[in-house]
Amino acid sequence: FTKEEILSYQNKKFNIQLNASTIKNDLIEYLEANNANLSKYSLSHNFFPKPYTGLSYEEIKKRNDYYHSKGFKVMTYMPSFVNKRMPLYEGLVSIEEQRYGNVISNVSEMILLNTDIACSGDAYVTREELDEALDNTLNLIRIPIKLKEGLSDEIISTIKEIHRNRLDKSEYMIRSSIRKNGIEEIYNDVDINKKDITIDNVLYKRYQGEIGIALKEMKANKAVNVIGKCLCSEWLLNNIDGGMKFKFIIK
């Protein structure tokens, strides 16, 4: 379609879908110059069935922020993990890093990427995947995790709280503002790796019960228990800003 044809369709009973991954600025500038009714337009990113052809987080975020500044809404594709569409069966993704992730973290990333609609283009999304995708709120980032065995009730109950990253955000850890007494020493003799979940034990005095998510590798600390691992991308964790609320989903 020409620019003139695209503009003319807004006067008919259509909603006009543009390609968010390939649209050129001159089309957007043309629509603006001709007083287009932008409520009739939205954009959707491409999906990429072939591995290593999808877009990066940075590219999607840059584009989405620009489109929102113009008043557009944006749709982004994310894959199913059970019934992937033929013929490649590699999942239909817009963001390459989401191809082998999981629904919970992918939806959380969509929120941080300013995506208005998250769409699955694979053949048969399961009921479980739909439920996990829909069980979210825009002001709470969900993080799927795997916990170690033998943790106390006090540790488990602290994990299940709704957490908030401290306003004085650290480059080493996401630090929850919650603290709780009665945290025993367990799994406190191992080095801390990226995406590890930690909780300060009784040896850390008034910091006892503080939950952390490691953003960098750190040496073992007897006052810090390493209790699990985040099942998400480093990008998601690095983009949880100070003051942002998050919740762990135990898998």
Side-chain angles (χ1 to χ4, degrees), residues 57-242:
Y57 294 114
E58 292 74 19
E59 182 66 21
I60 291 277
K61 184 67 164 60
K62 179 182 73 175
R63 287 177 176 270
N64 285 1
D65 287 349
Y66 172 68
Y67 300 143
H68 280 126
S69 74
K70 300 297 183 181
F72 294 110
K73 290 187 175 181
V74 189
M75 183 177 79
T76 307
Y77 283 89
M78 63 183 191
S80 168
F81 297 97
V82 180
N83 299 306
K84 298 183 180 184
R85 201 168 90 173
M86 62 184 296
L88 299 183
Y89 302 101
E90 294 284 358
L92 298 187
V93 304
S94 296
I95 303 163
E96 183 59 41
E97 289 294 322
Q98 291 193 345
R99 193 178 300 275
Y100 308 116
N102 59 75
V103 172
I104 293 170
S105 61
N106 283 357
V107 170
S108 292
E109 289 172 352
M110 293 298 187
I111 293 170
L112 295 176
L113 288 163
N114 281 339
T115 287
D116 299 289
I117 302 171
C119 178
S120 178
D122 281 311
Y124 299 102
V125 180
T126 64
R127 181 76 254 174
E128 180 182 4
E129 287 180 306
L130 284 175
D131 289 343
E132 288 188 334
L134 293 169
D135 184 24
N136 74 86
T137 56
L138 297 180
N139 64 348
L140 179 68
I141 299 302
R142 297 176 303 150
I143 305 173
I145 63 171
K146 180 73 173 178
L147 292 178
K148 294 186 177 181
E149 297 180 354
L151 302 179
S152 67
D153 292 340
E154 287 78 12
I155 291 177
I156 296 295
S157 66
T158 307
I159 282 286
K160 290 182 177 180
E161 298 270 2
I162 291 178
H163 303 273
R164 186 187 297 272
N165 193 11
R166 288 174 58 107
L167 288 172
D168 52 345
K169 180 181 178 182
S170 166
E171 65 177 291
Y172 289 89
M173 301 194 82
I174 293 172
R175 296 176 60 199
S176 172
S177 55
I178 292 174
R179 293 175 188 169
K180 188 175 291 188
N181 292 330
I183 304 301
E184 64 181 315
E185 301 170 51
I186 186 172
Y187 300 122
N188 62 338
D189 57 354
V190 294
D191 288 343
I192 302 170
N193 296 309
K194 291 181 181 180
K195 299 197 284 187
D196 278 350
I197 303 162
T198 66
I199 186 168
D200 295 345
N201 61 47
V202 65
L203 297 179
Y204 242 147
K205 311 296 183 184
R206 68 186 182 92
Y207 294 103
Q208 182 181 176
E210 181 176 288
I211 295 284
I213 304 173
L215 302 177
K216 294 186 176 184
E217 296 183 0
M218 291 166 276
K219 293 181 179 179
N221 184 334
K222 289 293 184 182
V224 179
N225 302 335
V226 179
I227 58 173
K229 196 85 171 180
C230 294
L231 307 177
C232 66
S233 67
E234 290 184 26
W235 185 92
L236 189 154
L237 299 178
N238 288 330
N239 283 273
I240 298 177
D241 287 332

